[in-house]
Amino acid sequence: MNGDIRNLKFCYIGGGSRNWAWVFMKDLCFEKEIGGTIFLYDIDMEAARANETLGNRLMEAHNPGQFTFTAESSLHKALEGSDFVFISILPGDFEEMAVDVHAPEQYGIYQSVGDTVGPGGLNRALRTVPLFQEIAAAVKAWAPDAWVLNYTNPMSVCTRTLYEVFPRIKAFGCCHEVFGTQDLLIKMLAWEGLVQEGEVTRSGLTTEVAGINHFTWITAASWKNIDLFPHYQKFAEAFGECGFKAAGGNWFNSYFSSGERVKFDLFKRYGLIAAAGDRHLAEFCPSSWYLKNPAWAEGWQFSLTPVSWRIAQREELREKSRAYRGGAAIPPPETSGEEGIRQIKALLGLGNLVTNVNLPNTAQFPLFPAGAVVETNAFFSRDSVRPLVSGGLPNPLRNLVLQHVWNQEEIVRAAVARDLEAAFRVFLNDPQLRGLDRDRAGDLFKEMTAKTLPPALGYKMPWRNQ
Amino acid sequence: MNGDIRNLKFCYIGGGSRNWAWVFMKDLCFEKEIGGTIFLYDIDMEAARANETLGNRLMEAHNPGQFTFTAESSLHKALEGSDFVFISILPGDFEEMAVDVHAPEQYGIYQSVGDTVGPGGLNRALRTVPLFQEIAAAVKAWAPDAWVLNYTNPMSVCTRTLYEVFPRIKAFGCCHEVFGTQDLLIKMLAWEGLVQEGEVTRSGLTTEVAGINHFTWITAASWKNIDLFPHYQKFAEAFGECGFKAAGGNWFNSYFSSGERVKFDLFKRYGLIAAAGDRHLAEFCPSSWYLKNPAWAEGWQFSLTPVSWRIAQREELREKSRAYRGGAAIPPPETSGEEGIRQIKALLGLGNLVTNVNLPNTAQFPLFPAGAVVETNAFFSRDSVRPLVSGGLPNPLRNLVLQHVWNQEEIVRAAVARDLEAAFRVFLNDPQLRGLDRDRAGDLFKEMTAKTLPPALGYKMPWRNQ
Amino acid sequence: MNGDIRNLKFCYIGGGSRNWAWVFMKDLCFEKEIGGTIFLYDIDMEAARANETLGNRLMEAHNPGQFTFTAESSLHKALEGSDFVFISILPGDFEEMAVDVHAPEQYGIYQSVGDTVGPGGLNRALRTVPLFQEIAAAVKAWAPDAWVLNYTNPMSVCTRTLYEVFPRIKAFGCCHEVFGTQDLLIKMLAWEGLVQEGEVTRSGLTTEVAGINHFTWITAASWKNIDLFPHYQKFAEAFGECGFKAAGGNWFNSYFSSGERVKFDLFKRYGLIAAAGDRHLAEFCPSSWYLKNPAWAEGWQFSLTPVSWRIAQREELREKSRAYRGGAAIPPPETSGEEGIRQIKALLGLGNLVTNVNLPNTAQFPLFPAGAVVETNAFFSRDSVRPLVSGGLPNPLRNLVLQHVWNQEEIVRAAVARDLEAAFRVFLNDPQLRGLDRDRAGDLFKEMTAKTLPPALGYKMPWRNQ
Amino acid sequence: MNGDIRNLKFCYIGGGSRNWAWVFMKDLCFEKEIGGTIFLYDIDMEAARANETLGNRLMEAHNPGQFTFTAESSLHKALEGSDFVFISILPGDFEEMAVDVHAPEQYGIYQSVGDTVGPGGLNRALRTVPLFQEIAAAVKAWAPDAWVLNYTNPMSVCTRTLYEVFPRIKAFGCCHEVFGTQDLLIKMLAWEGLVQEGEVTRSGLTTEVAGINHFTWITAASWKNIDLFPHYQKFAEAFGECGFKAAGGNWFNSYFSSGERVKFDLFKRYGLIAAAGDRHLAEFCPSSWYLKNPAWAEGWQFSLTPVSWRIAQREELREKSRAYRGGAAIPPPETSGEEGIRQIKALLGLGNLVTNVNLPNTAQFPLFPAGAVVETNAFFSRDSVRPLVSGGLPNPLRNLVLQHVWNQEEIVRAAVARDLEAAFRVFLNDPQLRGLDRDRAGDLFKEMTAKTLPPALGYKMPWRNQ
C-alpha cells in the first residue's frame, strides 16, 4: 500500500457491466490524483471488450494518461497483484431473476424487487453464494492483500460469503440506498425553507446508521447544529397520507421512485428513519403490511419492478454499447455521487472519510451475532476501515431486523454446504412466506430451485426431474 | 441456610390457590426429612384460611408434626425471614382472562391458551408485571436471602420482573410442561415394546433442554445407553398424520391433551423434540401454521381452552374447598411428580439434582441476550442453582424462538415503564398478530387494555373513556 | 443541544486551576463561533475569583463579548442547566501527593509520576473516587444532559466513577499524552528529511489508538499514503541506546521530557508504539524493567518527578495569579494544541472530528471487560461520541494492559464500597508491588491510607490510631 | 455410541506408561458392566508390550473375559474406530525435564514442579504442542467421534491444542489435584470431630470449582446441609502458621505432600479454597510470595521435586515392569479414586455424573476468553459433557489467573506457528520471570530451547549452534 498511487492495478469482476461500470468510468474522468490500469474480467468477454473501448475513449477525451482499461479473460491474470478489486456481477441471467420475482406471484406473494430477501432474494442467494465462493478463493490465491469492494446483491449474503471462505479478506459492501434517504433529508430542508435547492449536499449532513443492507436505519441526523429528527417528524406527518412528490420525479413514472409512504409509516411505527427505497423496505416486513397485492402496493405509492422491464433496458444498453464500440458519440462525463473513488482514495491515505458500509459485525452492532454482515458507519483511512460502534436499534425494531440477519447467516451456511433442506427452513422463516402452508411453500421452493439452480452448482435436487 | 431443616419457614404467595397449593399439600404428606411452617398469603383470605384448614387436616392424617399451615394476611409477616417463597397467583380474574383469550377472536385470532404469548399473553403480562414488581420489592425488603420458586404465568415475564427489580434475588421458575414430553418419550418406549408400562420413570431418562418456557426443546435424549432420537423419528412418522392416542386419555376429552401432531410436525420441520403441550407450542408459531381457526386446530388435534370452562372448574373447586373446611372427607395424599420438593431439598443440601428450570441467561444459552429468562437444565445443590451450558438451538429454530425472547424482554421493560406505546410495538411483532392491519391491531390493543388494566396499575390510557 | 451556540453555559469544576484553566482561557481567545458564560467552581474560591478576573481580562483584550467568566461558590448553581462541564481538580493537596509518591521509596519502590497506577496511583484513587461520586450525583441532579469533559487523574478511575454513579452520563476523559507521541512522529519525519520542521501538524497524521490512559498504544500510523511503522522501526533502532534528544528540550532539564528510550524498548518488545511519556509508561511495567531505582531510571533517560518541585511550581503560579488579579500584565493568548474546544464544537455540530478519548468500553476494545474505561479513537459529531472499533492489542501486550484494567475496575468498586480490604488486594496485584512481601506491603498500605484519607471520606481504618 | 458396551475399543496413547496405565489397569479389575479391547500405543514398544502382559495377567486373575490388552505399534490401527482414547505421554524424556526444572535455578528461579507454568512449563509446552498437533490430526482422521481423555501436562495447553487442530473433537482433560483438596476437606471434618475417619468420601461432598488446571479454586463447598467455608476459615487459622500434618503422610517425607500453608495463605488473601497441591499453586504466583529460594519454600512447607528423583523412580518401575513380564507376582488390584472409568460409563449412558474437568471455555467461565481451556464442573451423560455455568472468580483473583490464561493461549499459538519470538514474549510475561532482566531472560530462554527442542520439531533457532 505504499506503492505508486499513479500506477495502481484494479480488477473489475463483472467488467462487462453496463450499469455500475459506466457510472464508474464517468466518475473516473474527473480523478487526477491517482492512476493505473483497470482489468475488466467478465464471463461475457464481448461486453468486457466493449467496455474497454468505451473506457479508453472516455479517458482519451477527458482525462488522458490517467487510467487504462484492459479486457482480460483470465481471472488469475486480472486479479494477480491487484490493489483494488470491484465485484459487480449479475448472478445468472434475467431469466432466473424472472423466476425469483414472478414465480411466487402464483402463490400470492408479490415482490417489489426480489433480490435481497423473500423468496426471490433467498433463491438468488442460492445461486450467488457458489460464485462468491469461487471469487473469494481466487482473491485468496492471487490478491490476498487487495481491498475488495462488492456491489452485487444480495449484498449481505455476498459479502458474508467472501469472509466465510477467506476470513482475512479486506472486503466491504457498497450500496447507495442510504444516500437516497440523505437526499430526501435535504429535500425536506428545502421544503421547510431552511435551505435553497442545491445549497446542501449529502456530505454536509451527519447521519448515524445501523441496520442491514436495504433495511438500514438512520438513528441520528443533523445538519450543522440542527437535529433533523423533529423536522422529519413534521415532514412524515405532512406527507404520511398523501405521499411526497419530489420535484425531479414521480413515483408512478419510475420503478425506483416512490411516495415515501412506507418510510413515513415505519417512522410512525418505530421512530427512526428507514434509509432505503420503499420498494426495498417493504420486502423486509410481513406481506400484510405493504405487499398484500399489487393494488395495495400502489396505495402505498411504490412499484413492483417487472423483470420484463429489466430485459428491455438491457437490450437498450446493449445497443448503446455496440454503438460506442462502433464509434458513436460517447456519453458525457459526470459525477455520480457514488463513493467508490473517495473510499479508494481514503484507503490510499488521500483523505480520511466516514461513511456507511457493509462489514461483518466485529463489535459495531451490539446484540447482533458476530460475523453477520451489517451496515453501519465506518472510518476509512490508509489501509484501514474501522467501523464505529453504533447505538444499535431499539428492541422491537432490532427484533424485526434480527430475524433477517439470522436468515442471512443460515442461507449462506446452507448454500456453502449445498444443503437445500436447510435452505428451505430459512425460506419458511422469511416474513413474506410465513403465511403460506408448509406444502405450498415446498412446491414453490421446488419450482424456483429447479428452474434456476444449474446442476453444475452441485445442489442435490431429487425434484428436478419430476 | 445452615439453619434447622426441621424448622423451616415457607411463604406461599397465592396461598389460597386450589390447584398448585393442593398438589403441593398432597406431596408434603410424604416428606419426612424436612419440616416447618407454611404461611399462606392471599388477597383472598377466605381461600387462604380454607387451605390452612385443609393443609393441617392432611398433615394430621398423614404426616403429623411435620408441617403447619398458617393463613397470614400481612405479606410482610408472611415473608419475613422465610427460607423459601412460592409464587402461584392468578393475575386479575377469569373475567380478564376471558378478554385475553376471546377478544382477539373477533379479529380472527384464535388462541389455545392465551397466557404466554400472542395478544392474550402480552396483555396478561401488562397486568402481571406490576404485581411482580411489588412482590420482588417485598422479597428484597423482608426475605432477601430466600429462594423464590415462581409458578405463575407468563413464566418468563414474571421471573424476569423479579430480577429486574431485585437483581440479587435467588429466584427460578418451575413448569411441568417438559415433564409431559418426557412422559411421552416413555410411552414411546412402551409402544416400541422396549419397556413395560411403568417400568421407567421420568428420572430414568436424560434429556438436554434449551428454549423458553412453553416453547422448550429437547436437543438430546437418552435412556440408559440408548439414543432416543432415532426412535422418536420413527414414532413421529408413525403418528404424524393420525395423531397419537395415549392409553390414559384422549385429546378431544380434555383441553390439556392432544394428538401430539403439532409436536410431530415441528420435529419434521426442525429435527428437535418440542417439549410442551401442543396447545402451548401452537401459539408461538405463525397463526397460519396451526391456529388459522378452530377447525384447523381440531385438524391438528388440540383444543382451544375456553375460559368458561376455567370458570366452571373454579366453582367446582370452591365448592370442594368449602366442604373440606366444613369437615367433609379430605382427598387422599398422592405424589404428583412435580419437582418443587426435590428442588427445595437439593437447595438444603439433601441430594443434588439436575432438572430444567427458568433462569435469566447468564451464559447457558449461547447467542441469546444476557438476562432474558430461558429454560435449560440446571444443577441444584446446597444453596446453589447452576445452569448447564446448553448447546443452544440451530439457526432457523433459534430465530423462531429469539423473536419471542426479545418480545418478552421488551414487554417487561414496557410494563415496568407503564409505556403502552412501547407495549403496542411488541404486540405488532408477535407472530399471531403479524397478519393484522396496523389499525385493526390498534383497535384490539385498545379494547383489551381498556377492559383489563385497572387504573390503579398506573398505565395512561387516553382511550379508556372513549 | 439545538440551543443558542453563542449563549452556552459552561461549568468548570476546579475552576481555580492555574494549569488547565489558564491553557483553556488562552485557547478561548481565538474562538469566534461559539460563546457563553463559564462558571468557575472551586473549593478554593480565592483561586476561582482570581481566574474570573484573569479570564475576563483576557477576553476583553483579545475576544471581547464572546465569553464571560464568573466564579460561583454553589456547585448547584454552577452546574444547573450547563451545556458542558469540565472537571479538572486536584484530589487532596500536594502533601497527600508527597505520600503517594515518596512513602513507597522507603520500601524500595520508585515512581516517576505516582498518579495513575502503582502505590501512588491506587492511593490517589481511594481519595478521588469519593469526590467523583459527589460530582456525578450533582451532574445527575442538575445537568443530566450536559457533556462532561474530565481532565483529572487517575483518568480511567475518575471517568469510570462518573459512569458507575450515573450510567447515562455523557462523559469522556481527555488527555494530551497521545498528542506528545504524535509530535514525536513528526520529529521523526523531520529527522528523516521527509518534511521540514513545522510542515506537518498532528492533525495531518492518522493514528489508530488502543489502550488505557497513560498506557496507550498506536497500532497503525500514517502520513498521507506513507505507513509510518517501517520508519519508526529505523528510528527506534537509531536512538534505542543513546536516546533521542529533541531540538527544543532535553530530558534532564525537564521532568516531563525523556530520551524516549522506554518507548523504543517497548517497541522492541511488542512491535507497537507506546503513546505516552516514558515516565508514565514505566510505571505500568514490572519495576525491574525501568524503575529499579533512581539511577536505573536515569540510565533509561527519564526523571522521577519530586513533589517538592510541584509545590515550588504551585507557589510560583499562585504568585502570578495574585499579580494578574492585582493588575499586572496578563499573559499573551496562545493556542495549546489541546482538543477541548474542537471537541465541544464538534458536539455542537460545528465540524466532525476523530480523536482519541477515554470512554467506557461498549465494544471498541475486543476482549476487554465491558464498562472499563479505555482509550481509543472516537468520532465526534453533533451531540454524539461514537468510539471506533479498534483492533485491540496482540496477546502478550493485552495481557500486560489487562491486569491494570481489572485493577482499575476493582479499585473503583473497592473505593465506592469504602472497602480497604478489597483495595489492598488490588495493591498486591500491581506490578510495582509484586516484589514486596505481603507484610511489608501491608505496612506501606496502612501508612499511605492513614496519612492521606481523611475520616470524612468514610473509610474504616483501625490502624489510623496505631 | 449405541454400540455394544461389552465390546468397546479403547486406544491408549502412551500405553507403555508405568504410572497412569497401572492405576487404570488396577481400577479395571473391578469393572463388570463394560468390556472390550485396549490398544496400547507407545513410541517405546517394549514398555507397551510389558503393559500388555501385565494388563492381561491382571484381567485373568481378577476380571476374566472383561478386557483384553494389545500392544500396537501403528497409531492408525490403534486409533481407528475407537470409542475412547486416552492420552498420557511424557513429552521428551527426563533429561529435557531436568532442563525445564533446573536450568532456571542458575538464574535464581526455583520451581517446585516445573511442568505447568513458569520457565519449565512454558518450555515443556513448546515441545508438547507439536506432539498434540499430531495426535489431534490422527484422531480427526481415524477416530473423529471418539471421546478423548487427556492426562498429559501441561494440561490446559495440551487440551487446547487438540481443539485448535480439530475443533469438533470430543476431548477433555482429567486431573486429580482437586480430589486431593476434597480429601483435605474430609480430614478437616474429622479434625473437627464432625465425622469419623473414612465415614465420608469425596463423592459425599459438593464443591463448586472454577479456575485453570493446577490453579483451580473451590468457590463453594458443602457436606449435607453444612456450608464448609466457615469450617475452613477456622481450619486455616489453626494451621496457617504451623502447617497441617496429615495422619497418613508428612510433607518432608514426600515430594507430593505439604503442610498446606500456601493453600491457607491464599485463603487469607482471597477468601477461596485453592484446589491443588501447594507445589503447583506456588508456581502460579509471583516468585517473591512462596518460591524466593529453597529455604523459603521449606519455610512454607513444600518441596522442590528434583528430576533426579523422577529418574530414580523410573528405574525402579522399569525393573518392576520387567519382573512382571518375566512372571513375577503382579500387584494386587485396587481402586484409585480416579474418575476415568466413571466418566466413561457416564458417557455410555450408565450413570450421570457431575465432576470437574478441563474444557474450552464456551460460556462456563464468565469474563474469560472463549476457547481457552478452563477447569470447572461439568455434567456427564450419554455422549455428552456439559459444563456448568460457574460463578467465575472475584476480580483480584481472576486477574491473577487471567494472566496465565492469556499466556497459555499465546504459547499454544506461538508453538503451533513455531514462532519462538512470540514464545519469548510469553516467557517475559510469566510472573516467575518478571523479575529477570530482559537480557538474562533471553539467555535462559535460548539455553532452555536449544537444549530441549530437537530440530525435527521445526523451530528456527539461530542460537542453537552458538
Side-chain angles (χ1 to χ4, degrees), chain A residues 245-264:
Chain A
K245 275 171 201 64
N250 196 318
W251 77 268
F252 54 79
N253 291 333
S254 159
Y255 290 125
F256 300 97
S257 294
S258 79
E260 317 286 0
R261 287 195 64 211
V262 170
K263 210 172 268 93
F264 297 143

Side-chain angles (χ1 to χ4, degrees), chain A residues 221-248:
Chain A
S222 59
W223 171 61
K224 294 187 179 168
N225 67 324
I226 296 172
D227 178 3
L228 298 184
F229 267 63
H231 297 263
Y232 193 82
Q233 172 100 37
K234 264 185 276 170
F235 190 54
E237 276 162 18
F239 296 102
E241 294 304 313
C242 62
F244 176 73
K245 275 171 201 64

Side-chain angles (χ1 to χ4, degrees), chain A residues 2 208 225 348 384 386-387 389, chain C residues 2 208 225 348 384 387 389:
Chain A
N2 271 321
E208 296 192 352
N225 67 324
L348 288 167
S384 169
R386 294 258 165 240
V389 178
Chain C
N2 271 322
E208 295 192 354
N225 67 324
L348 288 167
S384 168
V389 178

Side-chain angles (χ1 to χ4, degrees), chain A residues 285-437:
Chain A
C285 301
S287 295
S288 58
W289 292 9
Y290 311 112
L291 274 168
K292 270 186 193 174
N293 51 53
W296 191 258
E298 198 179 328
W300 284 101
Q301 300 191 4
F302 67 97
S303 308
L304 311 187
T305 316
V307 175
S308 56
W309 175 85
R310 293 185 193 270
I311 291 173
Q313 194 223 22
R314 176 180 57 182
E315 286 317 307
E316 199 180 309
L317 292 174
R318 253 188 204 153
E319 207 45 59
K320 273 195 194 176
S321 180
R322 276 185 213 114
Y324 297 148
R325 216 177 165 192
I330 56 173
E334 56 182 340
T335 53
S336 67
E338 295 291 327
E339 295 205 332
I341 295 171
R342 285 181 69 200
Q343 289 168 340
I344 287 169
K345 290 179 70 175
L347 292 170
L348 288 167
L350 306 175
N352 299 336
L353 176 68
V354 170
T355 190
N356 55 297
V357 282
N358 293 277
L359 278 172
N361 189 24
T362 47
Q364 66 268 43
F365 210 123
L367 300 170
F368 263 33
V373 170
V374 295
E375 189 161 345
T376 66
N377 282 340
F379 179 69
F380 285 66
S381 62
R382 206 198 71 89
D383 202 23
S384 169
V385 179
R386 294 258 165 240
L388 276 63
V389 178
S390 79
L393 294 170
N395 265 349
L397 187 47
R398 185 180 51 237
N399 209 352
L400 200 64
V401 180
L402 189 52
Q403 62 183 298
H404 290 289
V405 171
W406 278 118
N407 277 353
Q408 289 170 344
E409 284 293 281
E410 184 66 5
I411 199 73
V412 171
R413 205 193 60 73
V416 166
R418 304 294 191 273
D419 178 349
L420 288 181
E421 207 175 313
F424 180 55
R425 284 174 183 163
V426 181
F427 206 73
L428 286 172
N429 264 358
D430 186 279
Q432 292 183 40
L433 289 148
R434 289 271 182 97
L436 218 56
D437 282 353

Side-chain angles (χ1 to χ4, degrees), chain D residues 176-191 195-198 200-205 207 218 221 228 232 235 244 246-247 260 263 273-276 336-339:
Chain D
H176 54 186
E177 290 287 326
V178 171
F179 305 166
T181 305
Q182 290 166 332
D183 285 333
L184 180 65
L185 294 177
I186 293 170
K187 286 174 192 152
M188 172 188 85
L189 289 172
W191 167 74
V195 302
Q196 302 289 323
E197 276 296 317
V200 186
T201 60
R202 284 200 315 103
S203 63
L205 302 187
T207 52
I218 292 178
L228 297 185
Y232 194 81
F235 189 53
F244 176 72
E260 316 285 2
K263 210 173 267 93
I273 303 172
S336 67
E338 295 291 330
E339 296 205 330

Side-chain angles (χ1 to χ4, degrees), chain C residues 160 211-212 359-375 398-399 401-410, chain D residues 366-369 395 398-399 402 406:
Chain C
R160 184 67 172 92
I212 53 174
L359 278 172
N361 188 26
T362 45
Q364 66 266 44
F365 209 122
L367 299 171
F368 263 33
V373 170
V374 295
E375 189 160 345
R398 185 180 50 238
N399 208 351
V401 179
L402 189 53
Q403 64 182 297
H404 290 290
V405 171
W406 279 118
N407 277 353
Q408 288 170 346
E409 285 293 282
E410 184 66 5
Chain D
L367 300 171
F368 263 33
N395 265 349
R398 185 180 50 236
N399 208 350
L402 188 53
W406 278 118

Side-chain angles (χ1 to χ4, degrees), chain B residues 1-3 5 205-206 208 221-222 224-227 230 348-350 352 354 362-364 379 381-382 384 386-391, chain D residues 1-3 5 205-206 208 221-222 224-227 230 348-350 352 354 362-364 379 381-382 384 386-391:
Chain B
M1 296 292 294
N2 270 322
I5 60 174
L205 302 186
T206 300
E208 296 191 352
S222 59
K224 295 186 177 167
N225 66 325
I226 296 172
D227 177 3
L348 289 167
L350 306 175
N352 299 337
V354 170
T362 47
Q364 66 267 44
F379 179 68
S381 63
R382 205 198 72 88
S384 169
R386 293 257 165 240
L388 275 64
V389 178
S390 80
Chain D
M1 295 296 294
N2 269 323
I5 60 175
L205 302 187
T206 299
E208 297 191 352
S222 59
K224 294 185 178 170
N225 67 323
I226 296 173
D227 178 2
L348 288 166
L350 305 175
N352 299 337
V354 170
T362 45
Q364 67 266 44
F379 179 68
S381 63
R382 206 199 70 89
S384 169
R386 292 258 165 240
L388 277 62
V389 178
S390 80

